[in-house]
Amino acid sequence: MWADLELDGLDVLVVGSAQGTRRVRARVEHAGGRVMLVGAAQALELLSASDRAVGLVVWVEGPESARAEGRALARIRRLPVTCAPAATTTGTVTLVGGGPGRTDLLTLAGQAALADADVVLFDRLGPQESLADLAPGARLIDVGKAPGHHPIPQPEIEAMLIEHARAGAHVVRLKGGDPFVFGRGSEEVRACARAGVPVTVVPGVSSAIAVPGAAGIPVTHRGLSRSLTIVSGHVPFEPQEYAHLHGVGGTLVILMGVNTLIQVCTGLLRAGMPPDVPLALVERGFLPGQRTTVTTVAEVVRRGGMQHATSPAVVVIGAVVALAESSVWEDLARTVEGAA
Ligand code: SAH
């Protein structure tokens, strides 16, 4: 696509209105080109006069007849011409689940939304590295960090979404993982709906399932675990909750669980969980420096936590953790198959 072209120093004739061509112009500039914004009539004049050096013509708006004439003139001058859709002016918000942080784990729908964005509000956990390429026409706003490294409060993020959408922008709210798994996505949807701003949601790959997988831990395994419970560990649980969590059996996945890990393990043991149940901490899943530590629930308590644990990390508790070592995986798979 022409958006991938290197346009360094090239004059690019962009045909249409300032509003309708805003995304195309941002792309041209991102690719290093110099924009010449003109209306259809002026474009035809320029293309008829042979003294103007133009490297590429991008036709966005204008009557069909002028477009055809423009093409014919460009052909005579051996100039490449392409068409691009006009940017809409209806303000909308798209919540995009960005996955656990690696760009290629973003969905195609997520990429399409970013390519069409005027404004992107992103934070710490989503893919950040190639945002300028994924959303060349957008203003990128980091809402995960403010100057003092304090995250922008949720009501302010919601106000920003609404404000930019009301100004006519396509606002993409890029979130880590899936927007509806401990991501406050539902609050943002509600805020937009209440403000009368149309909002759509693109799901994402959730770290709750994908990050254990990145460490070789399947969250379910026939004969070993037939349920998956995903909890937030940002505050410890009540005694009856530990009893439930242990009672369900299967696999327990804890997000935001680094700081409360000792309390949670202590609570689970008190509720009757056997001390040797394996536990894995998977830090920075799919990111540089991904690290897996395998231990047991009792060992975490005995050692007073996992000293070097850093966020973001997913905690997995249950028999499936043993599958993290591939030799065990093969043995277990054979046992399970034999038993079936
Ligand atoms: N909506 C997100 C979760 C948001 S809560 C999702 O579906 O994945 C934030 C927590 O997600 C972090 O504290 C951590 O527990 C987990 N997390 C997100 N990305 C991660 C990653 N790349 N590696 C490990 N844990 C991650």
Side-chain angles (χ1 to χ4, degrees):
M1 229 179 70
W2 68 270
D4 296 331
L5 290 175
E6 294 283 337
L7 298 175
D8 278 337
L10 216 65
D11 281 318
V12 179
L13 201 63
V14 178
V15 187
S17 66
Q19 246 320 336
T21 62
R22 65 187 196 273
R23 234 163 258 147
V24 167
R25 286 185 288 117
R27 278 186 192 197
V28 168
E29 276 160 10
H30 181 73
R34 276 198 301 263
V35 170
M36 297 164 62
L37 176 64
V38 290
Q42 204 189 343
L44 294 180
E45 261 172 48
L46 274 169
L47 289 171
S48 314
S50 54
D51 58 336
R52 189 72 177 99
V54 171
L56 171 70
V57 182
V58 187
W59 211 284
V60 182
E61 289 172 310
E64 204 42 56
S65 54
R67 195 178 290 218
E69 202 183 330
R71 269 187 189 285
L73 287 169
R75 202 174 304 128
I76 295 167
R77 292 185 54 187
R78 296 171 191 266
L79 264 180
V81 189
T82 184
C83 295
T88 50
T89 46
T90 52
T92 57
V93 170
T94 309
L95 255 63
V96 172
R102 211 175 70 188
T103 301
D104 60 355
L105 293 175
L106 186 65
T107 64
L108 293 175
Q111 287 181 43
L114 284 168
D116 189 60
D118 296 305
V119 179
V120 177
L121 271 64
F122 66 100
D123 49 37
R124 201 169 55 88
L125 291 174
Q128 298 183 16
E129 217 170 64
S130 339
L131 261 190
D133 296 322
L134 291 166
R139 191 178 139 202
L140 306 177
I141 305 176
D142 185 351
V143 293
K145 288 190 219 104
H149 289 285
H150 294 300
I152 295 184
Q154 186 66 20
E156 231 169 274
I157 294 178
E158 289 166 16
M160 285 164 87
L161 292 174
I162 292 163
E163 185 191 312
H164 287 292
R166 281 193 174 149
H170 177 194
V171 188
V172 166
R173 171 70 176 110
L174 182 63
K175 306 178 76 74
D178 184 274
F180 287 163
V181 179
F182 303 131
R184 307 191 77 166
S186 46
E187 293 168 47
E188 292 170 9
V189 167
R190 188 178 56 189
C192 291
R194 282 186 178 158
V197 169
V199 53
T200 48
V201 181
V202 175
V205 173
S206 179
S207 65
I209 294 171
V211 168
I217 304 169
V219 287
T220 69
H221 185 87
R222 194 161 52 95
L224 216 54
S225 167
R226 57 180 291 197
S227 72
L228 165 64
T229 308
I230 302 169
V231 298
S232 158
H234 79 286
V235 288
F237 295 94
E238 299 295 326
Q240 71 273 22
E241 291 177 302
Y242 288 114
H244 286 153
L245 292 176
H246 167 54
V248 175
T251 308
L252 179 61
V253 167
I254 309 172
L255 302 190
M256 298 177 275
V258 170
N259 294 333
T260 57
L261 195 55
I262 307 177
Q263 286 113 300
V264 170
C265 288
T266 308
L268 289 170
L269 291 172
R270 283 206 186 119
M273 183 174 274
D276 59 351
V277 170
L279 177 150
L281 178 83
V282 189
E283 298 164 81
R284 296 179 295 279
F286 297 102
L287 301 172
Q290 175 181 320
R291 178 170 69 168
T292 309
T293 312
V294 176
T295 175
T296 63
V297 177
E299 192 63 13
V300 170
V301 177
R302 202 179 65 76
R303 292 190 168 214
M306 298 178 87
Q307 262 68 32
H308 303 291
T310 52
S311 204
V314 168
V315 177
V316 194
I317 299 176
V320 288
V321 168
L323 298 178
E325 286 146 44
S326 57
S327 62
V328 181
W329 182 313
E330 283 156 22
D331 291 345
L332 269 173
R334 247 180 267 125
T335 315
V336 170
E337 240 106 78

